[in-house]
């Protein structure tokens, strides 16, 4: 296995380390300054894009969001026909909309660290981390399934989702917490005597990598604006209750319930396996994954074996047991029998 | 050393454990249900208020904010003349305003845990944690100095501050993060595919102990309302920039600077020792500590030795070296020479 990593900052170098240590991959890097990633042991070699892609089975584009689409296009132009190309950008609709190539699958690992840069890279960065995949109808099912496996091999939990749904969700669960962290440190900067644990936790990402994050905010501006507007509306409700002297006990309990639900959703559980025979046409695997995703059904594992004549394929899907019945209905709705 | 703990939840039981393990204290608890604290090894005994206070040198009132003032009053009424009484309430102006007793020093440790209750108590809960003290002019300097020592013995970093300044600061660095955590889980409850590290960190306190926190919000309603209003104003600025397509790079960098400043402020550094002779009159030690606090000078350590005739005392103060000159000027302004 040879893996190319284009952009060898914190995430790119961590992919290199994980692919090397966990999968025994040879890792080739491309970066204006590959020195830190080489020093961190994340790359076996560094060189030109052509050198890195030569014989590579997978290419990870891990560059800042503003130059993501153009870099993905350049990598696809230089990559061979069997090389799968993915990216790790925090915002997906723009790049996925700009690229139509069966070798490309948009991706986004929900992982990071306080410090950026290859020096902070870790082989276990993706252990248990959600890693979103945003295929579309032009995406090859074979590449999607290969990437799903590869990411599971890095320790991640691959999760298929629509690019637009991804961006709306990230506005709430990632970009908004960064904005709120910045606001909090700004309010406290007037001078506070000390910070408590809740403040430290809430502001850990304040001011994170300004170049990177300014690009993320800008490329998801509409969804982020909407998430901030909803935050303000909720805060105005809290203010009104505070000023009216209404107790906030029920509101606090409601939040406890929400948090419990969110934690339980991330905990996982029993899996059921579903076997389907799929026709060999472009996009069928992506359609299956996205159809399940739209009803909140995550594919924990997938395995695709083409038939000998390549006319059909045999697909095994692992889904949460409580969703098995609905998943089978949805597959039947797509004309796919067990 | 005998310590009484009134209210043996997470904080009360942790005080018991820390006092027992670190200071060898005998700990007596008062609670409608002292079972969990006894089971956690946080108490040597549990009984009535009179039994707990008998021979106790210090009493910690660790009950919810809504019943704080009445409980402090009851403890002061039952405690002996040499027993110092303090509390651990998250909001200070109300209780400090309600109590005029030289034995009372308002307090608030900036510590906590995800789970409440005595079962989650830890002896190291206060290790390195800021612990605010809010004396006023009626507070005995001897009791203030004793409490300062006792808290340092529990591993905490005692910090003297005006009760009102404390409450304004906590609205920003503690109560507001709790409100924002609740808002975030509420927005995400509509259904998000996964949570990332920034969301998990920002929502760790969402829905924390509804009874406790509803009481805290209510008792600091004005300052919290103001902190939320400033949050909304800043969020509206961010929205306007997002919609105008203005880059947020500088704003992100500014937040990085604020975070760096806040972290550096908490890191500590070289200390200088200042020796002053103080007259034996009520409130002089509290006045000194509050005067320094108002200019951001924290007393890292203090030691008070009364003269033989009790007419004056010898006070040693440790303050950050960079503040030594200003501290000496402020002491001179109070008529206190070296």
């Amino acid at each position: 296995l040879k893996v190319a990593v284009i952009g060898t900052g914190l995430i790119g170098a961590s992919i290199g380390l994980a692919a090397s240590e966990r999968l025994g991959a040879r890792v080739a890097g491309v970066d204006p300054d590959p020195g830190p990633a080489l020093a961190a042991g994340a790359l076996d070699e560094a060189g030109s894009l052509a050198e890195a892609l030569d014989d590579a089975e997978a290419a990870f584009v891990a560059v800042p969001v503003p130059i993501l689409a153009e870099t993905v296009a350049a990598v696809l132009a230089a990559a061979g026909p069997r090389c799968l190309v993915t990216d790790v950008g925090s915002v997906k609709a723009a790049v996925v909309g700009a690229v139509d190539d069966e070798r490309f699958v948009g991706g986004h690992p929900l992982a990071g660290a306080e410090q950026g840069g290859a020096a902070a890279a870790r082989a276990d960065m993706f252990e248990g981390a959600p890693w979103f995949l945003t295929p579309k109808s032009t995406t090859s099912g074979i590449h999607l399934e290969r990437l799903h496996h590869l990411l599971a091999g890095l320790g991640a939990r691959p999760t298929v989702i629509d690019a637009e749904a991804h961006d709306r969700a990230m506005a709430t669960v990632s970009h908004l917490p960064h904005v709120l962290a910045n606001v909090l440190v700004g309010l406290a900067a007037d001078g506070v005597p000390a910070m408590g644990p809740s403040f430290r936790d809430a502001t850990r990402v304040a001011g994170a990598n300004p170049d990177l994050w300014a690009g993320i905010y800008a490329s998801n501006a509409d969804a982020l604006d909407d998430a901030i507007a909803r935050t303000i509306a909720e805060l105005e409700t809290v203010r009104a209750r505070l000023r009216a002297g209404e107790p906030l006990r029920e509101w606090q309990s409601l939040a406890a319930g929400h948090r419990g639900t969110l934690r339980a959703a991330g905990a996982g559980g029993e899996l059921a396996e579903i076997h389907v025979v799929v026709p060999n046409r472009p996009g069928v695997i992506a359609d299956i994954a996205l159809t399940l995703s739209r009803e909140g059904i995550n594919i924990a594992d997938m395995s695709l074996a083409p038939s000998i004549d390549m006319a059909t394929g045999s697909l095994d899907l692992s889904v949460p047991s409580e969703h098995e019945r609905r998943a089978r209905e949805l597959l039947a709705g797509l004309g796919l029998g067990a």
Side-chain angles (χ1 to χ4, degrees), chain A residues 9 14 21 25 35 47 59 78 82 86 93 99-100 120 132-133 136 150 156 168-169 173 210 241 250 294 324 326:
Chain A
S14 292
E21 289 189 19
R82 300 182 56 80
T86 186
V99 177
D100 275 313
F132 296 110
L133 295 177
K136 57 183 192 178
L150 184 54
R168 279 194 304 275
V173 302
R241 290 191 193 159
E250 269 182 47
R294 277 179 207 115
E324 180 185 356
R326 182 64 187 141

Side-chain angles (χ1 to χ4, degrees), chain A residues 2-336:
Chain A
K2 180 182 173 186
V3 168
V5 177
I6 296 89
T8 58
L10 175 69
I11 297 296
S14 292
I15 291 169
L17 281 174
S20 170
E21 289 189 19
R22 301 178 62 120
L23 304 173
R26 187 155 61 93
V27 182
V30 183
D31 199 283
D33 176 14
L38 285 164
L43 306 177
D44 295 296
E45 57 198 72
S48 69
L49 186 56
E51 286 164 345
L53 291 173
D54 184 41
D55 277 336
E57 287 161 63
F60 289 87
V61 180
V63 301
V65 165
I67 58 166
L68 191 51
E70 64 194 87
T71 309
V72 167
V75 170
L76 284 164
R82 300 182 56 80
C83 180
L84 96 85
V85 177
T86 186
D87 75 301
V88 300
S90 305
V91 185
K92 298 263 62 79
V95 64
V96 168
V99 177
D100 275 313
D101 191 304
E102 65 152 27
R103 296 167 298 166
F104 179 68
V105 190
H108 173 216
L110 262 188
E114 230 170 291
Q115 291 294 315
R122 303 194 323 265
D124 66 354
M125 177 73 75
F126 311 110
E127 188 68 50
W131 192 314
F132 296 110
L133 295 177
T134 58
K136 57 183 192 178
S137 291
T138 50
T139 306
S140 150
I142 293 168
H143 285 315
L144 175 58
E145 186 246 11
R146 280 177 57 209
L147 182 57
H148 204 284
H149 268 285
L150 184 54
L151 300 181
L154 300 183
R157 294 191 286 116
T159 300
V160 174
I161 185 172
D162 278 308
E164 289 75 16
H166 168 275
D167 290 357
R168 279 194 304 275
M170 287 308 105
T172 300
V173 302
S174 172
H175 311 162
L176 179 59
H178 280 78
V179 166
L180 294 176
N182 289 359
V183 171
L184 276 173
V185 295
L187 294 186
D190 293 346
V192 290
M195 298 183 285
S198 63
F199 186 84
R200 255 198 316 274
D201 281 343
T203 59
R204 195 156 283 135
V205 295
N209 197 330
D211 286 320
L212 181 71
W213 278 91
I216 292 170
Y217 299 146
S219 62
N220 202 23
D222 288 347
L224 179 55
D225 182 49
D226 181 60
I228 296 174
R230 288 186 294 142
T231 302
I232 290 171
E234 180 69 7
L235 289 174
E236 290 290 11
T237 305
V238 174
R239 288 190 70 194
R241 290 191 193 159
L242 274 175
R243 283 183 291 188
E246 288 173 28
L248 287 164
R249 197 196 171 290
E250 269 182 47
W251 182 69
Q252 187 79 8
S253 292
L254 190 66
H258 287 152
R259 179 159 188 265
T261 306
L262 288 166
R263 280 158 59 95
E270 292 271 311
L271 295 176
E273 189 149 302
I274 301 176
H275 176 85
V276 282
V277 175
V278 294
N280 181 10
R281 62 166 171 79
V284 65
I285 307 289
D287 284 346
I288 291 171
L290 290 170
T291 299
L292 298 182
S293 149
R294 277 179 207 115
E295 299 223 0
I297 302 173
N298 184 43
I299 300 171
D301 194 22
M302 67 193 295
S303 171
L304 177 68
S307 63
I308 291 172
D309 65 0
M310 297 293 281
T312 59
S314 163
L315 179 68
D316 288 313
L317 297 171
S318 297
V319 300
S321 296
E322 71 267 32
H323 294 147
E324 180 185 356
R325 174 193 288 259
R326 182 64 187 141
R328 288 188 185 278
E329 288 171 5
L330 291 167
L331 291 166
L334 291 171
L336 302 168

